[in-house]
Amino acid sequence: MKLLIWFLVCFTLIAGAFSQSERPSSKVSIRPSLHQRKSTFLQRTKLRQTSAASYGKRVEYVYCDPRAPPSCVKNVNETFCLKDNDYPEKDVKYYIEYDPLVLKKYADIAFQSADNLIDGVTSLEEKHFDYSLYNGNAFSKGNWVGGEGYICPSEVLYVRPKRALNADGEWRVIIQDIAYYTQTHRIETCLYPDASCRTIAPCHRTKCVQKYVYHRMLSYDPCDVPKGIFIDIFKLPSACSCHIPARFY
């Protein structure tokens, strides 16, 4: 009996040792270096960004300067664009669709004219104002004669800007002509800024001065995409007025 027990114990020990020798050796865990961890993180980030883009989410990679004039600007003095070949229509549509507060931010009078903005002048009269004889010279004949119009000749437009320079000197995309969203403004620009006012004697030393008004418009910043659709402030030309300085004798 003792011999049998001794035999079983020996057999168990030998079998256990044999099974351990057949078992593959486990690898030693080594903490990856900082360079390896950084490379792995960048690869995973790139994959997440690619996946996000494939699902329609907007991802920005290129540095953007909000103070740099957009391609639609043809003159350094321009502060807004009425046409924009690079207008980001898809991006604007995306953020309008996923912003539940857009309708609460939006308001516009789409149809504007002198009929509802100027007392005593109709839109037909304003359309036919004639300044062809005036050249800004107080001593020329055109200063005294000419067609109907304002005392300071100006160009009046009812516009819907696509881009504009905000009050802080940064360019913004304006929500314009997307679905039914429009933002209409009346702008009046002096044809001859600082020139003498029509029909007034040169001795009064008058001059035409440009006036501006601050407007609020729904905007989009391509340099700060996560900001979405927001209200920004813009300065637009509103009137050309005749200024008579203090008289010195």
Side-chain angles (χ1 to χ4, degrees):
M1 184 67 180
K2 291 183 179 179
L3 182 63
L4 179 62
I5 293 173
W6 180 85
F7 176 77
L8 292 174
V9 170
C10 290
F11 178 79
T12 303
L13 292 174
I14 293 172
F18 180 79
S19 63
Q20 288 181 358
S21 63
E22 292 294 327
R23 193 177 302 167
S25 60
S26 59
K27 295 182 179 180
V28 179
S29 176
I30 302 176
R31 181 178 175 85
S33 65
L34 178 62
H35 176 72
Q36 291 174 331
R37 281 181 285 163
K38 184 177 179 181
S39 300
T40 304
F41 172 77
L42 291 176
Q43 290 176 356
R44 290 177 179 175
T45 302
K46 185 176 181 180
L47 288 174
R48 285 198 298 268
Q49 290 175 341
T50 304
S51 176
S54 64
Y55 281 93
K57 296 182 180 179
R58 314 307 303 176
V59 181
E60 289 292 329
Y61 299 98
V62 183
Y63 171 75
C64 182
D65 182 5
R67 295 185 178 273
S71 59
C72 62
V73 174
K74 307 303 180 185
N75 188 310
V76 293
N77 295 322
E78 289 182 359
T79 58
F80 60 90
C81 295
L82 300 181
K83 295 182 180 180
D84 184 6
N85 294 329
D86 297 324
Y87 189 84
E89 183 175 348
K90 291 183 179 180
D91 292 353
V92 173
K93 283 183 177 179
Y94 174 85
Y95 283 101
I96 287 177
E97 183 178 355
Y98 290 97
D99 187 349
L101 299 178
V102 167
L103 281 175
K104 294 185 178 180
K105 303 174 187 176
Y106 171 75
D108 186 37
I109 304 296
F111 300 100
Q112 303 180 25
S113 70
D115 295 333
N116 55 18
L117 292 177
I118 303 175
D119 292 337
V121 177
T122 66
S123 58
L124 184 61
E125 289 173 333
E126 186 180 56
K127 184 178 179 180
H128 290 92
F129 283 173
D130 182 14
Y131 307 113
S132 59
L133 298 178
Y134 182 76
N135 60 9
N137 187 351
F139 297 95
S140 68
K141 181 180 178 181
N143 187 60
W144 305 102
V145 298
E148 180 184 9
Y150 298 119
I151 194 170
C152 278
S154 61
E155 180 183 28
V156 177
L157 297 173
Y158 296 87
V159 302
R160 293 173 178 173
K162 290 293 186 87
R163 290 189 196 243
L165 190 68
N166 73 1
D168 294 325
E170 296 182 347
W171 285 92
R172 299 285 187 256
V173 172
I174 308 301
I175 309 307
Q176 203 68 266
D177 296 326
I178 301 294
Y180 56 84
Y181 295 99
T182 59
Q183 300 185 84
T184 312
H185 300 280
R186 179 187 188 275
I187 63 171
E188 182 177 345
T189 309
C190 290
L191 292 177
Y192 300 94
D194 296 327
S196 298
C197 307
R198 288 197 315 157
T199 71
I200 297 182
C203 61
H204 294 288
R205 296 180 298 161
T206 62
K207 67 176 180 178
C208 295
V209 295
Q210 181 68 60
K211 289 184 177 180
Y212 298 87
V213 168
Y214 286 111
H215 292 270
R216 291 178 174 85
M217 289 190 279
L218 276 180
S219 311
Y220 167 76
D221 185 1
C223 294
D224 190 3
V225 174
K227 198 172 182 179
I229 306 299
F230 57 95
I231 297 174
D232 210 339
I233 299 176
F234 303 85
K235 187 173 76 171
L236 297 178
S238 63
C240 186
S241 297
C242 180
H243 174 251
I244 303 177
R247 301 183 65 177
F248 297 93
Y249 298 96

